[in-house]
Amino acid sequence: MKNIFVVTHTQSVHHVENKVGGWYDTELTPRGRADAEATAGKLAALIGNASVEIFSSDLLRASQTAAIIAEHLKRPFETINGLREISYGSAGGMPQEWLDARQIPAPHHDRMDHRGGIADGETRREVAERVYCSVDAIISRPCPTQIIVTHGFALTFVIAAWIKMPIDSVGYVSFPARSGSITHLRQDDYWQSRSVIALADVSHLKASYEGSSEASA
C-alpha cells in the first residue's frame, strides 16, 4: 500500500498583500505558521507510526510549511525545485490586478503551450513536465508513506501525474485547493489502482479564508 499526502503551503505574505505568487518568494505569515502547525497535527493523526518521507518545493512558503511538518513528525525533508508553483515571469510580485488586466485565457487549440499574455511566464506543459518528473522520482522510492508540500496551482499537476493522466490532457483539468489543504492519494497492493481518497481537505483548519488562486499560489 502506498499513501501520498499532498499539502498546499499555508498562507504566505503575498496572499495578504494581494500580489502575484509564482516564483515570487515570500515567507509564511503568522496565520500561515499556525495553519502549518494544524496541518502537521492532522498529518500525524493520519500517518500514525508509519515511516514517512517528506518532500517540498524549494520556494520559501512551501519549505517553511514542510519544515513545520518535519519538526512535528521528527523527520527530515528534501526540497525539489520541480515542485515549484508555475512561474509568472515578470508578473511575479506585481499586484494581482496588474496580472488580471493582462492575462489572456488559453484558446482550446493551444491549452498547453499558451503563455497567458505574459511572455516570460511558464506554460502548462513546462509546469507539467517538471512536476511529472518530480512526482515519478518521489513515488519510485520504496517508502510506503510520503508527504509532498507544493502549491495551489501545482497541485493539479501532482494529482494528474499520480493518476497517469497524459500531459496533453492536463490543459483541461483543475483541482482547486485552498492553502493548507491535504490531498490523500493511495495505491492498493492488489490491483495497483491509484485512488484519490481525499481532495483538498481543510477540515483541520480552524477558519477558512480565500485561499490561493491559479494566479497567486
Side-chain angles (χ1 to χ4, degrees):
M1 188 80 71
K2 187 88 163 179
N3 285 288
I4 313 292
F5 297 93
V6 190
V7 176
T8 50
H9 70 81
T10 51
Q11 189 188 67
S12 184
V13 169
H14 79 278
H15 289 149
V16 297
E17 292 182 346
N18 199 31
K19 292 183 177 179
V20 178
W23 291 9
Y24 178 59
D25 211 10
T26 59
E27 63 182 1
L28 297 182
T29 63
R31 167 68 179 271
R33 291 184 177 278
D35 283 353
E37 291 284 355
T39 303
K42 178 63 176 286
L43 288 167
L46 290 169
I47 292 167
N49 296 323
S51 177
V52 62
E53 292 180 329
I54 305 170
F55 304 90
S56 174
S57 158
D58 64 339
L59 292 174
L60 191 58
R61 57 197 186 271
S63 62
Q64 286 182 338
T65 301
I68 291 170
I69 294 168
E71 182 178 9
H72 198 97
L73 297 178
K74 303 295 190 290
R75 300 293 299 171
F77 73 96
E78 178 181 335
T79 58
I80 301 176
N81 60 15
L83 295 172
R84 284 185 174 197
E85 184 58 291
I86 187 172
S87 171
Y88 291 99
S90 55
M94 296 293 287
Q96 185 62 49
E97 293 82 0
W98 186 94
L99 178 59
D100 292 342
R102 291 163 175 79
Q103 272 197 312
I104 302 170
H108 287 300
H109 69 277
D110 188 25
R111 298 190 65 84
M112 291 302 295
D113 300 305
H114 178 68
R115 295 197 185 273
I118 306 300
D120 57 350
E122 278 191 302
T123 66
R124 284 179 179 253
R125 187 181 307 280
E126 289 166 343
V127 179
E129 287 174 347
R130 61 174 170 81
V131 172
Y132 272 50
C133 182
S134 300
V135 171
D136 287 346
I138 290 169
I139 65 179
S140 69
R141 295 169 65 146
C143 185
T145 306
Q146 296 170 314
I147 295 170
I148 297 173
V149 183
T150 187
H151 305 259
F153 184 76
L155 172 67
T156 288
F157 299 87
V158 174
I159 298 172
W162 169 253
I163 62 177
K164 293 185 174 292
M165 179 180 289
I167 282 182
D168 281 335
S169 299
V170 185
Y172 295 90
V173 66
S174 176
F175 298 102
R178 292 185 176 181
S179 300
S181 70
I182 299 174
T183 294
H184 183 185
L185 310 174
R186 176 182 292 163
Q187 179 173 292
D188 70 84
D189 291 332
Y190 186 79
W191 297 107
Q192 299 291 298
S193 298
R194 295 187 174 187
S195 304
V196 180
I197 303 298
L199 176 62
D201 178 28
V202 290
S203 62
H204 53 285
L205 301 181
K206 291 183 178 179
S208 63
Y209 63 95
E210 292 302 317
S212 320
S213 67
E214 290 192 354
S216 63

